[in-house]
Amino acid sequence: MINIKKTCVLLLWCLSLLGKTYAQVIPDPKSHFGFSIGDDYRLATYQQLEDYFQKVDAISDRVQTIEIGKTEEGRKQYVWVISSPENLRQINRYKEISQKLARAEELSSQEAKKLALEGKPIVWIDGGLHANETVGAHQLIETYYQLVSRNDAENVAILDKVVILLSQVNPDGQELMSSWYMQETDPKKRNMRVPRLYQKYIGHDNNRDFFMMNMKESTHIARQQYIEWMPQIIYNHHQRGPEGSVLAGPPYRDPFNHVFDPLIITSIDGVAAAMNNRLNAENKPGYTRLSGSVFSTWWNGGLRTTPYFHNMIGILTEIIGNPTPEEVPLVPKRLIPNNATPNPVTPQPWHFKQSIDYSVSLNYSILDYAQRHGDELLYNMYVMGNNAIKKGQMDTWTLLPRYVDSIELFYKREKEAGKLKGDSIPKKYYDMVLANPKFRDAKGYVIPADQADFPTAVKFINALIKSGVLVHKATADFTIGGKHYPAGSYVVKTAQAFRAHVLDMFEPQDHPNDFQYPGGPPVKPYDAAGWTLAFQMGVQFDRIVDLFDGPLEKIDYGVLQNPPIKELPISEGGFLLNAKINDAFTVVNELLKADVKVYRITKAVNNLPTGSFYVDAKAATLLKKYARDYGVVAQAIAEKPQQMLQLQVSKIALFDYYGGSMPSGWVRWIMEQYHFGFQVIYPQEIDEGNLRKKYDIILFIGGGTPSLKDEKSASNRYFKMPSKEEVPEKYHAMLGKLTVEKSIPPLTTFLEEGGQIIAVGNATNLAYHFKLPVENLLTEQNKRGEMTPLPSDKFYIPSSILTVKVDTTLRPNWGMSESVDVVFNNSETFKIKQPSSEIKPLLWFDTDKPLKSGWAWGQSYLKGGIAAFYVPIGKGNFYAFGPEITNRGQAHATFKLLFNELYKNK
């Protein structure tokens, strides 16, 4: 007999399935964009991408959309969470499991294994960070469509077992680049020579901001990765593959950083094998790895490298491809299969769609790996975090090159002295170094609240907090090792899962000497060799090597800090702002905008240094507000100082050029943060002259000044300068380049008429164009008697941190300490050609060992060299700073070297 009730239930269930299937007919990209993803000469804008992703989300139960913030230009930034409907219903639980395993706090191995079996691995896949690398954003669209629409066994398994996070990580850049490319009606004339940087301030350097997180975009991304989701794998898509290959991918070349867990390296190997195998199985040749490319795992700061210091598997690929078809060139040495390139690609035409297909295959290789090894990925993240916590609780010694070199040196000395026989090195030499208590790793760091520039120290603390680091704050005064610390001081212990990142932000990097062969040229690091953020920011901290505790409260993960708000004292004599505090300049700029008179003292008063700012007592109300806003509390004084200079706002020009300069862009951002007014100036305006009528100061930061080798060209060009016919009229004023013939004369006149020019980094070559009596210190005489730069096998300092001496009596150095750490990147270093009282050294090297963090080969050549100087020219002054004093918005310790000269006296 038929059971009518059961039959009705079965019928309703079938109808519901039919309805669900009908409701989830996913529109393919072509139906939305009007072309297939990967079609030649076609790009989608970010607005189109956003509309498509939201349209699909409204239909599919495999997607959740999370808005994570606004970009620097105000666009919405998202993470699209993709998994099975069942997983999405429990997504908060999977996020919680990932957080618990990543932080490994008070979690036993047994509990971790249980959570790893319950949880789902989380995989982050992004695209578009560098907007001219158009494959990245477009493979994201195709991957999104396939994940949401496919019902084959592989896709279903991935959705059932993995949580996928997709993110377009530079919306502004995609909108700019795609709109620019598509504006040309003739497809074959389409190009990517955009007039400005494809991130509002920093362009390509948006992938250099992930331990500082100055930009809104990187702050949003870091929060998702290090506080919210804790992905086990982070895949960062880039371009461009080395010539003669299709793409460069993992595993990467040496060196790898000594502070992170070795399981990171071997985990990269596992994912890399899956990627390479899939391409080979699909007959997609051209994958190069290891020594086949320049990419390493040494540096911190990129979207895929910062994860290593957080126990996450960071994956980078750099693939060829462009909407305008191209060719795979013939590079004979890449045609021979080897371990770096097991499956070479042959010369051939290459279309955009091929790069999209490769990228989607690589995405699926990682997702398939994650679904097969999910519990292992989750548990290994716990293992790395737990290892880090244990190391922070016990005596450990990081195996650094300088320690190994010391062992060999001790042995060599005793061997030469006849104290040893045989070739084996006794263990006692190991114990002399790597069991020596004074070389122990730190158990933690204390950032005292009573340091002069505590507001900047708080910015440093916030950079750590944005990175998911656990920070404590003292609720009362306390003492460690006999040293007293006030309440409000911050403490960062290394007994935490992200210990590697903590060490990397406080400790000097020790990059190994790396040469192509013994005695040969150095192997260039992929990026910086040394970057210790605490040094760059000038933060005062104490390194604690013994276990310690105190009246400390844990700051909740991700909760940013503010400097303490103190009451402004009552004063009839007025107030002083400490020149050592960077944000004192912010306050001064606000006061000047409010028509408040501000002065700089030319003699120290009340233990505040020369150059501190005096403000009349009438400004107390504003000073109270700024104390709350910026944490800068003015000091009351009994009477107005006698020796002062009244300040006026300067008319500041910041040099830039068509296409955009990243160093200039960083300074544009810095100037906005500290509330300096300025105008951007381009070559044509300089060539027209009459500069003094419009500006008091011109800033040249980094490249764009005439080269010394080819006086008709300008350095640091990323593409050929377009003609007026190739760009819309509104951008014509941005075109052009500085030349010796047209640009140097008006700049010289500007100086002679009382203008100030400040040159930083490569722009200091203006010193030679102005015929100043200085020359490059780092030269030698060749066989023909000519002075040529020192070869790299004698002198080589890739971006590292060096210590220089400071003349604190000179106005450009007001508020500085007697020595400061600077970012040096094979930077210009000077010597005076002839005795001259006119040239005033500002910074110089007083030792043959100035290296503090990174790599410095031949650093002894620097002793006595001048790193910065100024010199009067006519009624004006020229300032030259060889080191990167504004480096990527990180070098707060040297910002004052720029700020001090951005005012004029009344």
Side-chain angles (χ1 to χ4, degrees):
M1 184 177 182
I2 298 174
N3 187 320
I4 297 176
K5 185 176 180 180
K6 286 185 177 181
T7 302
C8 289
V9 169
L10 181 62
L11 180 61
L12 287 171
W13 180 75
C14 292
L15 288 171
S16 71
L17 281 183
L18 181 62
K20 183 176 178 182
T21 302
Y22 176 76
Q24 290 203 315
V25 174
I26 306 300
D28 65 13
K30 187 172 185 177
S31 68
H32 177 81
F33 297 100
F35 56 88
S36 297
I37 300 302
D39 281 357
D40 288 340
Y41 303 109
R42 304 303 295 266
L43 290 179
T45 66
Y46 179 74
Q47 184 63 61
Q48 292 170 325
L49 177 151
E50 181 183 18
D51 291 345
Y52 178 68
F53 276 46
Q54 301 298 62
K55 178 193 292 184
V56 171
D57 181 21
I59 298 170
S60 174
D61 56 4
R62 296 177 178 181
V63 185
Q64 284 186 7
T65 301
I66 301 173
E67 183 182 339
I68 62 175
K70 296 290 197 301
T71 67
E72 291 289 352
E73 293 182 14
R75 291 182 178 81
K76 293 179 180 179
Q77 194 172 354
Y78 298 97
V79 164
W80 286 279
V81 186
I82 302 173
S83 198
S84 69
E86 294 75 18
N87 290 344
L88 292 178
R89 283 192 286 271
Q90 303 180 71
I91 197 65
N92 289 335
R93 175 56 179 164
Y94 296 132
K95 182 193 285 190
E96 178 189 23
I97 289 171
S98 191
Q99 289 175 357
K100 285 183 175 181
L101 292 170
R103 291 175 181 146
E105 296 170 337
E106 300 178 358
L107 192 64
S108 70
S109 176
Q110 292 75 18
E111 291 169 328
K113 287 179 179 178
K114 185 177 179 181
L115 286 174
L117 289 171
E118 180 189 353
K120 306 289 183 183
I122 298 174
V123 177
W124 168 287
I125 301 174
D126 63 54
L129 187 64
H130 293 156
N132 60 345
E133 300 169 1
T134 52
V135 172
H138 289 75
Q139 60 79 27
L140 207 66
I141 300 170
E142 184 64 27
T143 299
Y144 179 75
Y145 169 66
Q146 293 199 24
L147 284 169
V148 173
S149 65
R150 280 172 47 181
N151 292 300
D152 56 275
E154 179 185 50
N155 206 58
V156 169
I158 288 170
L159 294 172
D160 284 345
K161 296 180 181 179
V162 183
V163 172
I164 305 125
L165 308 178
L166 299 185
S167 185
Q168 209 302 9
V169 283
N170 182 11
D172 298 343
Q174 183 179 356
E175 191 68 24
L176 170 67
M177 193 63 65
S178 295
S179 298
W180 182 271
Y181 183 83
M182 295 300 295
Q183 73 180 345
E184 175 59 61
T185 55
D186 183 350
K188 294 188 178 181
K189 290 183 180 180
R190 288 175 182 164
N191 66 81
M192 298 183 186
R193 298 197 294 271
V194 293
R196 63 176 179 86
L197 297 170
Y198 51 67
Q199 193 277 351
K200 181 177 180 181
Y201 296 102
I202 62 172
H204 197 86
D205 264 4
N206 61 359
N207 200 29
R208 305 297 185 271
D209 190 41
F210 284 96
F211 62 65
M212 189 73 204
M213 286 155 289
N214 283 318
M215 297 297 113
K216 291 177 182 177
E217 294 92 335
S218 43
T219 295
H220 303 329
I221 293 164
R223 183 170 188 89
Q224 298 306 307
Q225 292 180 343
Y226 307 134
I227 296 169
E228 297 288 342
W229 292 95
M230 312 295 200
Q232 285 67 53
I233 301 176
I234 292 174
Y235 183 10
N236 182 214
H237 282 263
H238 278 274
Q239 293 179 254
R240 156 159 203 99
E243 289 290 290
S245 71
V246 174
L247 74 143
Y252 308 104
R253 69 173 177 89
D254 283 334
F256 68 81
N257 202 289
H258 311 109
V259 298
F260 51 66
D261 197 294
L263 192 52
I264 282 292
I265 295 298
T266 53
S267 296
I268 292 171
D269 290 345
V271 177
M275 297 168 70
N276 214 333
N277 284 345
R278 185 170 188 124
L279 291 190
N280 288 334
E282 294 178 356
N283 194 28
K284 292 185 170 84
Y287 188 119
T288 192
R289 57 188 188 165
L290 298 169
S291 61
S293 73
V294 299
F295 306 106
S296 71
T297 50
W298 171 259
W299 171 66
N300 194 342
L303 202 160
R304 70 95 188 179
T305 56
T306 305
Y308 301 145
F309 300 84
H310 294 75
N311 304 320
M312 300 172 187
I313 303 168
I315 298 296
L316 165 78
T317 53
E318 299 261 352
I319 196 167
I320 65 171
N322 194 291
T324 302
E326 57 184 282
E327 296 278 335
V328 177
L330 173 61
V331 180
K333 65 180 181 181
R334 286 197 182 271
L335 293 177
I336 302 172
N338 57 27
N339 199 38
T341 311
N343 187 6
V345 66
T346 57
Q348 59 185 278
W350 195 263
H351 295 274
F352 199 35
K353 182 65 163 60
Q354 291 172 274
S355 295
I356 300 298
D357 290 344
Y358 267 66
S359 298
V360 172
S361 291
L362 291 165
N363 289 338
Y364 269 88
S365 71
I366 289 175
L367 295 173
D368 182 63
Y369 181 90
Q371 72 92 1
R372 294 173 187 273
H373 301 274
D375 59 333
E376 177 186 328
L377 289 167
L378 288 160
Y379 182 70
N380 282 354
M381 195 173 197
Y382 160 78
V383 169
M384 289 185 277
N386 190 49
N387 288 344
I389 291 171
K390 288 179 179 177
K391 285 182 176 180
Q393 295 169 335
M394 59 191 291
D395 287 345
T396 59
W397 289 259
T398 301
L399 301 175
L400 299 174
R402 64 176 178 268
Y403 295 154
V404 175
D405 291 344
S406 295
I407 292 171
E408 293 181 341
L409 180 62
F410 291 151
Y411 169 71
K412 181 179 178 181
R413 285 176 179 173
E414 295 207 357
K415 178 81 170 176
E416 290 175 350
K419 296 180 180 180
L420 294 172
K421 295 181 179 180
D423 295 326
S424 61
I425 303 178
K427 184 178 178 295
K428 72 172 184 176
Y429 295 101
Y430 175 92
D431 295 338
M432 287 171 63
V433 178
L434 292 169
N436 189 330
K438 72 178 183 180
F439 296 145
R440 285 177 293 169
D441 293 334
K443 302 290 194 307
Y445 307 89
V446 180
I447 296 92
D450 56 359
Q451 60 187 279
D453 193 0
F454 193 55
T456 293
V458 173
K459 291 177 183 179
F460 170 72
I461 287 295
N462 282 338
L464 299 181
I465 290 172
K466 288 179 182 181
S467 291
V469 168
L470 175 62
V471 176
H472 290 82
K473 188 175 182 179
T475 57
D477 293 2
F478 64 106
T479 301
I480 299 175
K483 183 169 181 178
H484 173 81
Y485 299 99
S489 298
Y490 290 98
V491 171
V492 184
K493 295 186 176 184
T494 59
Q496 59 177 295
F498 297 165
R499 173 179 179 267
H501 192 75
V502 173
L503 293 176
D504 203 55
M505 296 295 98
F506 283 96
E507 298 286 343
Q509 284 77 52
D510 187 8
H511 193 288
N513 291 327
D514 188 11
F515 296 92
Q516 293 180 26
Y517 50 85
V523 177
K524 183 180 179 180
Y526 174 59
D527 199 87
W531 52 83
T532 311
L533 187 58
F535 299 166
Q536 287 198 66
M537 296 187 73
V539 175
Q540 295 176 23
F541 65 91
D542 287 322
R543 184 178 187 272
I544 313 299
V545 296
D546 294 312
L547 287 173
F548 67 97
D549 213 338
L552 306 175
E553 66 176 359
K554 175 182 175 182
I555 297 172
D556 289 340
Y557 286 107
V559 177
L560 300 182
Q561 302 295 289
N562 294 303
I565 298 175
K566 299 178 182 177
E567 287 298 318
L568 186 74
I570 297 173
S571 172
E572 295 182 359
F575 300 93
L576 289 176
L577 297 166
N578 192 337
K580 288 184 175 292
I581 303 174
N582 282 353
D583 269 311
F585 291 88
T586 312
V587 174
V588 166
N589 290 331
E590 287 300 300
L591 290 168
L592 290 172
K593 289 174 186 176
D595 294 324
V596 174
K597 293 180 180 179
V598 181
Y599 304 80
R600 297 201 83 167
I601 61 174
T602 57
K603 185 178 180 181
V605 175
N606 282 25
N607 294 319
L608 292 189
T610 301
S612 293
F613 302 93
Y614 171 78
V615 185
D616 190 87
K618 295 177 183 178
T621 301
L622 284 174
L623 289 172
K624 287 180 182 179
K625 177 183 185 302
Y626 300 146
R628 293 192 301 270
D629 292 346
Y630 310 115
V632 180
V633 180
Q635 183 180 121
I637 56 174
E639 59 183 18
K640 184 176 181 178
Q642 297 300 310
Q643 300 181 42
M644 300 190 301
L645 299 171
Q646 185 177 348
L647 299 183
Q648 271 190 310
V649 173
S650 293
K651 293 174 288 185
I652 302 169
L654 174 62
F655 174 72
D656 205 341
Y657 47 74
Y658 186 96
S661 158
M662 289 183 290
S664 179
W666 274 116
V667 170
R668 185 158 38 93
W669 179 81
I670 292 169
M671 299 275 277
E672 289 181 12
Q673 302 312 300
Y674 289 91
H675 300 192
F676 285 97
F678 64 95
Q679 295 291 326
V680 176
I681 188 172
Y682 293 92
Q684 291 180 53
E685 186 176 354
I686 289 175
D687 292 350
E688 288 168 3
N690 295 316
L691 296 168
R692 188 68 186 91
K693 293 180 180 179
K694 296 181 284 185
Y695 305 111
D696 300 308
I697 299 167
I698 303 178
L699 308 180
F700 291 93
I701 313 294
T705 54
S707 167
L708 298 177
K709 293 181 179 179
D710 177 7
E711 294 186 346
K712 294 184 179 180
S713 69
S715 60
N716 284 12
R717 293 288 185 241
Y718 293 100
F719 48 75
K720 182 182 177 182
M721 182 66 62
S723 65
K724 286 185 177 181
E725 293 72 27
E726 294 177 293
V727 300
E729 185 177 357
K730 63 180 178 179
Y731 300 114
H732 286 183
M734 300 168 65
L735 295 171
K737 57 187 177 183
L738 298 184
T739 64
V740 173
E741 294 84 1
K742 291 185 178 181
S743 310
I744 297 303
L747 289 175
T748 303
T749 300
F750 174 74
L751 288 166
E752 291 171 343
E753 293 177 350
Q756 316 291 311
I757 289 180
I758 300 173
V760 178
N762 291 338
T764 57
N765 67 13
L766 286 172
Y768 305 118
H769 292 302
F770 294 144
K771 311 300 182 185
L772 298 179
V774 295
E775 60 187 6
N776 184 357
L777 173 76
L778 304 170
T779 58
E780 65 179 7
Q781 196 172 54
N782 64 19
K783 294 179 180 179
R784 295 187 298 274
E786 301 166 333
M787 299 304 295
T788 58
L790 288 169
S792 58
D793 58 352
K794 289 186 177 181
F795 179 85
Y796 181 69
I797 304 181
S799 187
S800 297
I801 298 178
L802 278 59
T803 302
V804 294
K805 292 293 289 184
V806 181
D807 186 344
T808 60
T809 66
L810 297 176
R811 173 174 171 161
N813 294 338
W814 281 351
M816 300 292 290
S817 299
E818 292 184 354
S819 64
V820 67
D821 298 328
V822 298
V823 178
F824 187 97
N825 185 15
N826 286 319
S827 302
E828 195 75 30
T829 307
F830 301 92
K831 63 180 177 181
I832 300 173
K833 287 199 292 187
Q834 58 197 44
S836 171
S837 60
E838 293 290 296
I839 294 180
K840 303 289 186 183
L842 298 171
L843 312 174
W844 67 94
F845 297 98
D846 68 332
T847 173
D848 61 354
K849 293 182 176 62
L851 178 67
K852 190 154 184 189
S853 179
W855 183 17
W857 184 255
Q859 60 179 309
S860 61
Y861 283 102
L862 290 172
K863 186 174 182 180
I866 297 170
F869 68 87
Y870 82 97
V871 60
I873 299 180
K875 296 178 183 179
N877 290 290
F878 174 72
Y879 300 83
F881 296 93
E884 310 287 337
I885 62 171
T886 56
N887 180 62
R888 292 173 173 167
Q890 298 166 9
H892 289 246
T894 47
F895 284 178
K896 285 188 286 289
L897 295 170
L898 175 64
F899 295 167
N900 277 331
E901 296 313 305
L902 298 184
Y903 305 101
K904 61 182 179 180
N905 298 329
K906 190 167 183 177

